[in-house]
């Protein structure tokens, strides 16, 4: 580990991984627009039905600093990770790795032995993380979703994603 710059201090804060709750959503504004958070709220309804897990990495004060879901209905025999995000100021601190490991544990707890995800081709930083964690690319597909623009209107965002998977021991 390289030395800290002059005047800098290292602070270690314990975190906890737990299920994301509807009451957490106002503290997750960093993860996306109000439209995105409304979609997350819908996914929490699916979590209550057991169709997905939606996890949060939280500070001791209970504030989510990383969130993401596992969908058990998207692909037979696998848990599909999606909507993974880390508070931008805390990226590259290991929170994404912790979130993914917790998601993989949830997948295993359901008796499944494969995790899958799709990563945008214009997001090499995320792809590097997934590869470091053992995910292997096996294809690509176009994807699209609605995004909220700064003026509050909605537009369709289109992208190409690399499909990745990992066999879980």
């Amino acid at each position: 580990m390289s030395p800290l710059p002059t005047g800098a201090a290292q602070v270690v804060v314990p975190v906890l991984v737990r299920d994301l709750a509807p009451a957490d959503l106002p503290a997750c504004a960093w993860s996306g627009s109000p439209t995105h958070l409304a979609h997350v709220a819908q996914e929490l309804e699916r979590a209550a039905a057991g169709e997905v897990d939606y996890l949060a990495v939280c500070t001791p004060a209970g504030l989510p600093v990383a969130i993401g879901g596992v969908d058990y209905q998207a692909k037979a025999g696998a848990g599909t990770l999606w909507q993974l995000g880390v508070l931008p100021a805390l990226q590259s601190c290991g929170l994404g790795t912790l979130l993914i490991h917790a998601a993989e544990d949830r997948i295993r707890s359901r008796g499944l032995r494969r995790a899958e995800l799709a990563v945008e081709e214009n997001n090499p930083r995320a792809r590097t993380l997934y590869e470091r964690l053992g995910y292997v690319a096996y294809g690509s597909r176009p994807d699209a979703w609605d995004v909220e623009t700064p003026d509050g209107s909605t537009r369709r965002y289109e992208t190409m994603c690399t499909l990745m998977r990992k066999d879980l021991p």
Side-chain angles (χ1 to χ4, degrees), residues 37-48:
L37 291 177
H39 181 71
V40 174
Q42 291 172 344
E43 295 303 328
L44 291 179
E45 292 175 17
R46 290 183 64 213

Side-chain angles (χ1 to χ4, degrees), residues 18-25 28 40-41 44 47 54-56 58 64 66-68:
R18 61 168 172 79
D19 290 318
L20 185 70
D24 293 321
L25 293 179
C28 295
V40 174
L44 291 179
Y54 215 105
L55 305 175
C58 297
I67 61 173

Side-chain angles (χ1 to χ4, degrees), residues 37-123:
L37 291 177
H39 181 71
V40 174
Q42 291 172 344
E43 295 303 328
L44 291 179
E45 292 175 17
R46 290 183 64 213
E51 299 172 4
V52 303
D53 282 320
Y54 215 105
L55 305 175
V57 178
C58 297
T59 67
L63 296 173
V65 292
I67 61 173
V70 182
D71 191 327
Y72 300 103
Q73 296 187 330
K75 188 100 173 202
T80 301
L81 284 65
W82 96 119
Q83 295 186 344
L84 302 173
V86 175
L87 180 72
L90 296 177
Q91 291 177 354
S92 298
C93 294
L95 298 172
T97 297
L98 179 65
L99 178 64
I100 291 167
H101 286 316
E104 291 170 351
D105 288 344
R106 293 287 182 99
I107 293 167
R108 282 187 205 92
S109 75
R110 291 195 179 219
L112 302 172
R113 295 292 174 248
R114 191 173 74 248
E116 300 214 359
L117 58 83
V119 60
E120 287 186 77
E121 289 184 354
N122 65 357
N123 192 350

Side-chain angles (χ1 to χ4, degrees), residues 115-140:
E116 300 214 359
L117 58 83
V119 60
E120 287 186 77
E121 289 184 354
N122 65 357
N123 192 350
R125 184 175 178 176
R127 181 171 175 165
T128 298
L129 168 64
Y130 303 141
E131 288 173 340
R132 183 174 55 78
L133 296 177
Y135 286 80
V136 177
Y138 70 90
S140 63

Side-chain angles (χ1 to χ4, degrees), residues 133-156:
L133 296 177
Y135 286 80
V136 177
Y138 70 90
S140 63
R141 72 158 195 251
D143 203 349
W145 54 87
D146 291 334
V147 295
E148 192 171 325
T149 62
D151 69 3
S153 63
T154 302
R155 72 170 177 82
R156 194 75 173 158

Side-chain angles (χ1 to χ4, degrees), residues 4-24:
L4 295 172
T6 303
Q10 181 176 4
V11 177
V12 177
V13 177
V15 293
L16 169 73
V17 180
R18 61 168 172 79
D19 290 318
L20 185 70
D24 293 321

